[in-house]
């Protein structure tokens, strides 16, 4: 396919458009009877089992999706990503988050340089620093050990580390290594978030890690200044050197802020913010909390998936299959959303993280060369752990709109409980739902079945489930640092696959800029009105009225 051609103009795309009409005539109830099909739709790799037999697809569909992948040059695009080419063309950058978890002896060249050795020199520095802090050899200004960490950052400098931290919090090995320590995340510029984060903390025993790729993000910088003030007010300005460190690609601005460059942990412009959890962005705060060896396992899990993604044939390649199925659901079935439903409370921050990775990556309106797209890209990602979600939004998924679901289950609980006299363990109880929900969605319940159950006639329409609702199931052996790394990388690569097929740039995010610059204009107005009493000017009627009301009411 020539670079300017759109994927929707290719034969495989047109073929799938016709094919989906045939598929719509099938019901999952019938498709699930085909054991050969179901068997072929199960893939295992490194302890992970993917079952996509509850997708509205046949083996013929999968073959056609592979042809679409060929037409989109998927394999070449994956190769270009792994080989450090500047595939983020609008920012002229490589996309090399895979290098962040590559083994020490691996060579990945970008711009004529082996980036893996740079990665490991920062990892070594993090290991050394985190061990000093954890052992108490690095102390605060008053000689006390720093047992609490506040990581200040937003977006990609927050959501990934928060997801991993939340997932590790109840892992037995991680609990042991985190004993006596706290890790908190300050993201929102809302002063309430500052208050919540510093409540109960003593600056004497707190280390602040300012995490910002650019070191210019308004929210993060204001929060960093606020915590700098919190430290200086109690311990004096010189305490900042002992109580504040930074993670950034912009080491000049780190120094300008007043953080010793020796206490800055670098990463590189070839790491996208939302793909940065495996850089110092995640590795530093997580190593401070759990120790470097736990975090190294997380990196190894992600690296295992990187190797799989880069080498497995399509039919066995979990991220490729997931990405193609997402394209199938969005572009051919026309389903605009995707629910991410982990049956693990430890994964409660997984959907919010994937929401950013996915929606910031693939919510685009033009192709990589700027051609407006005649088809939608990206999907609306949302989710909650099961079974909580079942008591919230599942009603809509069962009887309302069709939303393809990802069910994520864990074989061995981090915290098993067996109560004497109960039918099953608490984890089996949870997992009963994990296994039941996909079939409830796929099979539904017919009026005939309800009649046989003697359901009152007038209730039958309300109690009928149409079924034929797609889902896929991912079963992880356990939820330790390694598995968490695997899960992260599966989703990162799945999202890249979708973008590669749609022919977009999944690695830029120009859509967040306009709001930022308008906020700048409002900020200037607020300052001028509050300090010099200047009237609100230069906005439309609505914004002018809202701002005037806000200024008047807040100065009363
Ligand atoms: O929301 C836009 C964004 O640029 C994200 O892509 C990024 O993760 C976040 O802001 C934070 O940026 P930074 O790490 O530079 O502070």
């Amino acid at each position: 396919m020539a670079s300017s051609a759109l994927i929707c103009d290719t034969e495989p795309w047109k073929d799938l458009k016709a094919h989906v009409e045939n598929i719509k005539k099938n019901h999952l109830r019938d498709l699930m009877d085909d054991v050969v099909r179901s068997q072929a739709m199960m893939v295992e790799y490194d302890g992970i089992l993917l079952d996509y037999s509850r997708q509205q697809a046949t083996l013929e569909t999968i073959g056609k999706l592979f042809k679409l992948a060929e037409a989109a040059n998927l394999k070449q695009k994956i190769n270009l990503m792994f080989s450090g080419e500047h595939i983020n063309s609008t920012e002229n950058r490589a996309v090399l988050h895979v290098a962040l978890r590559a083994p020490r002896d691996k060579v990945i060249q970008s711009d004529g340089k082996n980036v893996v050795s740079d990665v490991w020199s920062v990892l070594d520095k993090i290991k050394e620093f985190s061990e000093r802090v954890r052992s108490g050899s690095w102390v605060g200004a008053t000689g006390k050990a720093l047992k609490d960490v506040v990581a200040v950052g937003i977006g990609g400098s927050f959501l990934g580390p928060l997801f991993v931290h939340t997932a590790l919090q109840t892992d037995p090995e991680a609990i042991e290594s985190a004993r006596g320590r706290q890790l908190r995340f300050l993201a929102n510029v809302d002063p309430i978030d500052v208050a919540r984060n510093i409540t109960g903390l003593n600056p004497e025993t707190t280390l602040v890690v300012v995490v910002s790729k650019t070191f210019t993000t308004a929210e993060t910088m204001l929060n960093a200044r606020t915590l700098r003030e919190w430290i200086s007010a109690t311990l004096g300005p010189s305490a900042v050197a002992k109580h504040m460190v930074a993670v950034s690609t912009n080491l000049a601005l780190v120094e300008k802020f007043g953080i010793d460059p020796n206490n800055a942990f670098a990463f590189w412009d070839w790491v996208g913010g939302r793909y940065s959890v495996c850089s110092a962005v995640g590795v530093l705060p997580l190593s401070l909390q759990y120790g470097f060896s736990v975090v190294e396992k997380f990196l190894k899990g992600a690296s295992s998936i990187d190797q799989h993604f880069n080498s497995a044939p399509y039919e066995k390649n979990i991220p490729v299959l997931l990405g193609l199925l997402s394209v199938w659901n969005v572009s051919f079935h026309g389903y605009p959303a995707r629910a991410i439903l982990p049956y693990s409370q430890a994964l409660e921050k997984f959907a919010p993280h994937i929401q950013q990775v996915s929606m910031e990556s693939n919510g685009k309106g033009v192709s990589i060369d700027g051609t407006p797209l005649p088809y939608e890209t990206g999907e609306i990602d949302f989710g909650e752990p099961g079974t909580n979600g079942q008591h919230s939004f599942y009603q809509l998924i069962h009887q309302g709109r069709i939303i393809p679901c990802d069910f994520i289950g864990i074989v061995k609980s981090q915290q098993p409980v067996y109560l004497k006299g109960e039918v099953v363990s608490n984890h089996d109880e949870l997992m009963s739902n994990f296994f039941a929900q996909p079939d409830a969605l796929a099979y539904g319940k017919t009026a005939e079945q309800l009649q046989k159950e003697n359901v009152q006639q007038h209730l039958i329409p309300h109690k009928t489930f149409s079924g034929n609702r797609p889902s896929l199931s991912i079963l992880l052996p356990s939820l330790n640092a390694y598995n968490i790394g695997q899960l992260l990388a599966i989703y990162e690569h799945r999202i890249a696959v979708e973008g590669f097929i749609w022919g977009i740039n999944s690695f830029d995010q120009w859509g967040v800029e306009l709001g930022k610059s308008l906020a700048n204009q409002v900020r200037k107005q607020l300052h001028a009105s509050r300090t010099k009493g200047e009237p609100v000017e230069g906005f439309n009627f609505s914004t002018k009225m809202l701002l005037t009301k806000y200024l008047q009411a807040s100065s009363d």
Side-chain angles (χ1 to χ4, degrees):
M1 194 175 65
S3 67
S4 58
L6 294 175
I7 189 69
C8 62
D9 296 327
T10 64
E11 282 313 311
W13 180 282
K14 291 178 192 161
D15 187 29
L16 280 160
K17 278 279 175 199
H19 175 69
V20 77
E21 296 309 319
N22 286 330
I23 287 295
K24 281 179 186 163
K25 293 176 197 152
N26 296 306
H27 196 289
L28 274 172
R29 215 180 276 144
D30 305 317
L31 290 177
M32 293 299 290
D33 278 347
D34 182 348
V35 175
V36 174
R37 170 185 170 278
S38 292
Q39 233 165 13
M41 290 188 170
M42 283 196 178
V43 181
E44 273 192 88
Y45 170 73
D46 197 12
I48 298 169
L49 175 65
L50 164 68
D51 175 3
Y52 60 96
S53 59
R54 289 174 193 77
Q55 290 289 305
Q56 292 169 324
T58 59
L59 295 178
E60 193 188 357
T61 316
I62 304 304
K64 289 181 188 295
L65 286 168
F66 292 159
K67 288 208 174 110
L68 185 73
E70 290 306 317
N73 295 323
L74 176 64
K75 187 58 199 151
Q76 289 91 318
K77 288 176 183 173
I78 294 171
N79 288 343
L80 289 176
M81 183 176 97
F82 275 85
S83 60
E85 289 296 319
H86 285 209
I87 62 169
N88 175 358
S89 51
T90 62
E91 295 179 307
N92 193 20
R93 289 174 182 169
V95 176
L96 272 178
H97 43 281
V98 292
L100 299 171
R101 52 250 187 165
R104 195 186 280 274
D105 55 1
K106 179 129 184 143
V107 176
I108 301 178
Q109 299 276 355
S110 185
D111 300 324
K113 198 171 186 303
N114 177 18
V115 295
V116 180
S117 53
D118 289 350
V119 166
W120 276 93
S121 73
V122 174
L123 289 177
D124 289 338
K125 184 173 165 178
I126 293 175
K127 181 170 189 265
E128 202 235 311
F129 177 73
S130 58
E131 277 166 8
R132 283 180 69 196
V133 172
R134 288 168 56 81
S135 67
S137 84
W138 173 288
V139 290
T142 56
K144 291 191 178 159
L146 302 178
K147 60 184 182 51
D148 302 319
V149 171
V150 181
V152 182
I154 199 164
S157 295
F158 157 60
L159 291 160
L162 176 69
F163 142 58
V164 180
H165 170 54
T166 312
L168 282 173
Q169 246 169 349
T170 35
D171 170 58
E173 184 191 1
I175 291 177
E176 209 38 58
S177 57
R179 212 166 280 291
R181 305 198 60 83
Q182 267 193 86
L183 172 59
R184 298 184 181 189
F185 291 90
L186 170 57
N188 201 334
V189 75
D190 185 340
I192 293 170
D193 208 17
V194 176
R196 288 183 179 190
N197 268 286
I198 60 176
T199 298
L201 291 188
N202 178 352
E204 279 185 288
T205 53
T206 302
L207 178 70
V208 174
V209 183
V210 185
V211 186
S212 175
K213 180 174 172 180
T214 54
F215 231 69
T216 59
T217 302
E219 298 93 322
T220 299
M221 298 326 297
L222 181 54
N223 278 336
R225 291 193 294 275
T226 308
L227 290 203
R228 184 176 62 189
E229 181 55 32
W230 177 66
I231 291 165
S232 319
T234 321
L235 306 174
S238 63
V240 169
K242 284 284 175 193
H243 290 264
M244 286 186 100
V245 299
V247 175
S248 187
T249 60
N250 195 335
L251 299 183
L253 285 185
V254 170
E255 187 168 10
K256 203 165 164 216
F257 179 87
I259 291 174
D260 184 345
N262 292 319
N263 301 335
F265 299 83
F267 65 115
W268 307 272
D269 69 2
W270 43 261
V271 184
R274 55 195 173 274
Y275 296 92
S276 67
V277 57
C278 294
S279 73
V281 166
V283 175
L284 178 61
L286 294 164
S287 295
L288 286 163
Q289 179 68 2
Y290 298 106
F292 184 78
S293 64
V294 170
V295 183
E296 207 177 359
K297 287 179 193 155
F298 161 71
L299 297 178
K300 282 191 175 144
S303 173
S304 158
I305 296 295
D306 296 341
Q307 287 163 38
H308 166 71
F309 177 51
N310 196 21
S311 59
Y314 289 165
E315 62 274 14
K316 292 199 165 63
N317 195 315
I318 293 176
V320 166
L321 288 164
L322 290 174
L324 291 174
L325 289 167
S326 292
V327 170
W328 170 239
N329 284 327
V330 172
S331 299
F332 300 96
H333 279 291
Y335 304 142
R338 172 172 60 195
I340 298 169
L341 309 169
Y343 277 65
S344 168
Q345 196 58 32
L347 292 176
E348 67 173 316
K349 297 295 178 192
F350 184 57
H353 174 51
I354 296 308
Q355 206 169 47
Q356 190 210 11
V357 180
S358 167
M359 294 171 79
E360 197 164 272
S361 296
N362 288 343
K364 304 286 161 68
V366 296
S367 72
I368 195 149
D369 58 12
T371 310
L373 293 174
Y375 49 88
E376 306 279 359
T377 64
E379 57 262 282
I380 303 154
D381 286 284
F382 71 101
E384 275 293 322
T387 65
N388 290 11
Q390 292 176 199
H391 300 273
S392 168
F393 52 80
Y394 277 36
Q395 165 64 41
L396 181 141
I397 296 175
H398 280 289
Q399 287 188 313
R401 291 165 183 255
I402 297 186
I403 298 181
C405 296
D406 294 353
F407 289 96
I408 303 167
I410 315 292
V411 175
K412 283 194 187 139
S413 173
Q414 288 179 336
Q415 295 290 329
V417 174
Y418 298 91
L419 284 185
K420 231 181 167 182
E422 293 291 332
V423 181
V424 291
S425 72
N426 296 30
H427 186 65
D428 279 351
E429 175 63 29
L430 170 74
M431 291 299 284
S432 302
N433 290 275
F434 166 82
F435 293 111
Q437 288 291 333
D439 277 341
L441 288 167
Y443 287 80
K445 195 160 189 182
T446 63
E448 262 177 14
Q449 287 172 302
L450 291 163
Q451 263 147 9
K452 279 192 192 141
E453 290 173 9
N454 294 323
V455 171
Q456 286 176 296
Q457 199 55 39
H458 74 280
L459 287 179
I460 287 183
H462 300 280
K463 292 195 166 191
T464 300
F465 291 72
S466 59
N468 204 24
R469 287 159 191 264
S471 70
L472 53 87
S473 303
I474 298 171
L475 197 57
L476 301 176
S478 49
L479 195 62
N480 55 30
Y482 185 86
N483 308 130
I484 296 164
Q486 289 177 308
L487 187 62
L488 170 86
I490 285 174
Y491 273 76
E492 285 180 345
H493 295 324
R494 171 202 210 163
I495 289 157
V497 167
E498 294 178 62
F500 288 151
I501 300 290
W502 282 319
I504 57 177
N505 183 352
S506 297
F507 306 104
D508 62 11
Q509 58 286 317
W510 299 108
V512 301
E513 295 304 325
L514 180 58
K516 283 186 194 170
S517 64
L518 291 185
N520 203 18
Q521 194 192 335
V522 175
R523 187 184 301 122
K524 283 185 185 143
Q525 177 70 59
L526 290 175
H527 177 71
S529 298
R530 291 214 192 274
T531 54
K532 297 183 228 149
E534 282 184 15
V536 178
E537 292 299 349
F539 298 89
N540 59 48
F541 178 80
S542 163
T543 306
K544 181 176 173 163
M545 291 308 287
L546 287 166
L547 274 172
T548 306
K549 171 83 185 156
Y550 172 72
L551 282 162
Q552 276 166 2
S554 57
S555 59
D556 286 346

